[in-house]
Amino acid sequence: MVKIAASILSADFTQLGDDVTRVEAGGADIIHIDVMDGHFVPNLGIGPMIIKTLRTQTKLPFGVHLMVEEPHRFIQPYVESGANFLVPHVEAFHGLYSTLQTIKTSGEKSGVALNPATPLTQITELLPMIDIILIMTVEPGFGGQSFIPQMLTKIASARKLIDTSGYRIELAVDGGINAQTAPLAVEAGADLLIMGSAIFGDRRIEDNIKMIRQLVS
Ligand code: DX5
Ligand code: ZN
């Protein structure tokens, strides 16, 4: 079954707790949290203090997308604040293997994210260590961008890579996923849809989640 993650980057931060409650009521599977350091991507956010506060608000797992340089520095604070999946970028830091080991040692799930221009060959050796492959379907850093159609081929290749590897790895897509692109991504092999503006944009949070759920099931 396809999972839906709500990216709170597009939530209303004046009522973040309520938005997260509504996401859970709408039937989403994961809260997606974008961490940005102003270096790896131009944008900034979302710190561990906010995650810790939200942890009291929902039982849904927290997926933390680490769009930061030197992601190893951020594993401990985010695990302590309640992260359940930690997903650094392959482009960010040469010590990725040990970063993934640190995540595993913490007992949480680990993944790797790839920018649109990064080939899948970069992660072949990492497959035994990861629970998630996250394909960026826009350039990372901002919500509300358009899905890059060429990424459908990459999603299909990642699907093949996972299936032939024999490992149980979820295939996530992040960026520009909406009612038009979600079915295409799922058809190409994605089984975890990360969505920001398509869920929060018009504030019909519960309805949007249910609508996408119907579309892809
Ligand atoms: C972008 C972030 C996404 C973002 C997606 O860099 O990683 O999680 O919130 O937003 P939408 O769904 O609006 O493209
Ligand atoms: Zn993200």
Side-chain angles (χ1 to χ4, degrees):
M1 187 167 123
V2 175
K3 287 186 187 167
I4 293 176
S7 174
I8 59 168
L9 193 58
S10 298
D12 180 345
F13 276 71
T14 65
Q15 40 189 314
L16 190 54
D18 285 348
D19 276 17
V20 165
T21 305
R22 291 182 63 186
V23 162
E24 189 164 1
D29 303 287
I30 295 164
I31 304 291
H32 179 86
I33 295 153
D34 289 304
V35 179
M36 301 172 286
D37 64 352
H39 292 280
F40 183 74
V41 290
N43 209 352
L44 278 171
I46 299 171
M49 275 169 61
I50 296 178
I51 315 302
K52 196 172 180 180
T53 310
L54 280 183
R55 191 63 287 176
T56 58
Q57 199 75 20
T58 175
K59 290 199 167 52
L60 290 182
F62 285 171
V64 170
H65 179 189
L66 291 165
M67 292 176 276
V68 296
E69 302 288 358
E70 304 185 8
H72 63 286
R73 295 173 48 216
F74 297 88
I75 305 304
Q76 196 191 345
Y78 279 94
V79 166
E80 282 173 7
S81 71
N84 306 105
F85 311 82
L86 293 110
V87 183
H89 268 260
V90 292
E91 304 87 359
F93 179 64
H94 63 271
L96 186 58
Y97 192 85
S98 55
T99 303
L100 292 172
Q101 273 182 323
T102 307
I103 299 171
K104 281 282 166 204
T105 308
S106 78
E108 307 302 341
K109 291 189 174 178
S110 65
V112 282
L114 296 97
N115 282 342
T118 304
L120 285 168
T121 47
Q122 296 251 349
I123 60 167
T124 322
E125 278 70 28
L126 302 172
L127 296 179
M129 305 191 65
I130 55 176
D131 305 289
I132 296 164
I133 295 174
L134 188 160
I135 306 281
M136 285 307 300
T137 41
V138 299
E139 290 289 5
F142 298 94
Q145 303 179 75
S146 296
F147 182 88
I148 302 171
Q150 287 81 359
M151 292 302 106
L152 287 173
T153 318
K154 189 174 180 182
I155 298 165
S157 303
R159 178 79 267 153
K160 267 196 207 129
L161 183 68
I162 292 168
D163 290 346
T164 53
S165 77
Y167 293 110
R168 276 188 63 175
I169 299 173
E170 289 184 295
L171 181 54
V173 287
D174 186 6
I177 304 295
N178 55 33
Q180 282 73 46
T181 56
L184 302 176
V186 169
E187 200 182 330
D191 48 22
L192 170 50
L193 302 171
I194 299 164
M195 286 178 285
S197 40
I199 288 178
F200 296 100
D202 61 6
R203 306 296 303 152
R204 298 174 64 224
I205 298 172
E206 299 89 337
D207 289 349
N208 289 333
I209 295 167
K210 286 176 191 158
M211 184 262 293
I212 297 281
R213 171 83 68 207
Q214 253 188 341
L215 268 179
V216 297
S217 53

